[in-house]
Amino acid sequence: MQYDAIEVQAFDAGNPATAAQVVRKTVKEPGQGEVLVQMKYAGVNPSDVFSLMGVYPGFTQLPGVPGFDGMGVVAKVGASVTAFSEGQRVTSLGWLTTSQGSGSWQQYITLPQEKLVALPDEVSDEAGAQFYINPVTVVGLLEVAAVQPGQHLLITAAGSTLGRMLIKAARAEGINTIGVVRRPEAVQELKDSTG
């Protein structure tokens, strides 16, 4: 079976959009301990743009499919796979095959079962697609900032996905947040989405 993938064949630091092109690929049937995932969502993070530019150290193999975040549905399981079944919603531990040129920007991907995480029913597809890059960044930012409960944390680009995650995580730690947004109407949007 053929499917579409976004592939980088040559890096372009000046115009990253020109580095990506849609190509046809053949589905890799899952082998022993592997799972074939039909991708539903794949995020675009700064690390992905840096991958297109050729400056991200985790993406060097060309041609290659970028994409560090995403979620999908199990399409088929290989022999000895017991943790997942067809139709199950999953995400990955960072789509760690990206460094091998096989990231989340494709319609199908075959991964070892130990690289997958089942998504609970209460987690939306959109949230599941943001499982890795932004949450790890939020944890790192809070650790480096070392803001203590009761203190204040100023967050620029507070209306972004990362900003909203950072607000929620900081508040959960008892940290007061001040969010900066560019548009006046974004103030209410931010209040509605972060409580």
Side-chain angles (χ1 to χ4, degrees), residues 22-164:
V22 177
V23 299
R24 298 290 288 164
K25 291 186 165 279
T26 301
V27 167
K28 177 185 178 282
E29 289 294 318
Q32 181 83 15
E34 293 182 326
V35 177
L36 175 64
V37 177
Q38 181 181 14
M39 297 300 299
K40 298 295 182 186
Y41 289 91
V44 179
N45 295 297
S47 57
D48 299 309
V49 176
F50 295 148
S51 294
L52 299 174
M53 295 171 69
V55 298
Y56 191 78
F59 185 79
T60 57
Q61 184 171 328
L62 294 180
V65 176
F68 289 96
D69 262 338
M71 72 75 54
V73 175
V74 174
K76 192 173 184 180
V77 297
S80 77
V81 172
T82 57
F84 300 98
S85 58
E86 290 183 20
Q88 190 171 12
R89 296 176 330 119
V90 295
T91 189
S92 177
L93 299 171
W95 304 99
L96 297 175
T97 55
T98 306
S99 62
Q100 300 155 6
S102 187
S104 63
W105 290 9
Q106 52 191 322
Q107 290 178 312
Y108 288 90
I109 185 170
T110 301
L111 295 167
Q113 67 178 332
E114 61 269 10
K115 299 291 186 193
L116 294 173
V117 176
L119 289 175
D121 290 340
E122 59 272 10
V123 175
S124 70
D125 291 350
E126 293 86 352
Q130 302 170 40
F131 173 76
Y132 184 67
I133 297 294
N134 285 336
V136 168
T137 303
V138 165
V139 169
L141 286 170
L142 287 175
E143 285 181 5
V144 170
V147 178
Q148 300 301 309
Q151 292 182 324
H152 288 81
L153 177 65
L154 177 68
I155 302 169
T156 59
S160 68
T161 300
L162 181 66
R164 292 170 196 232

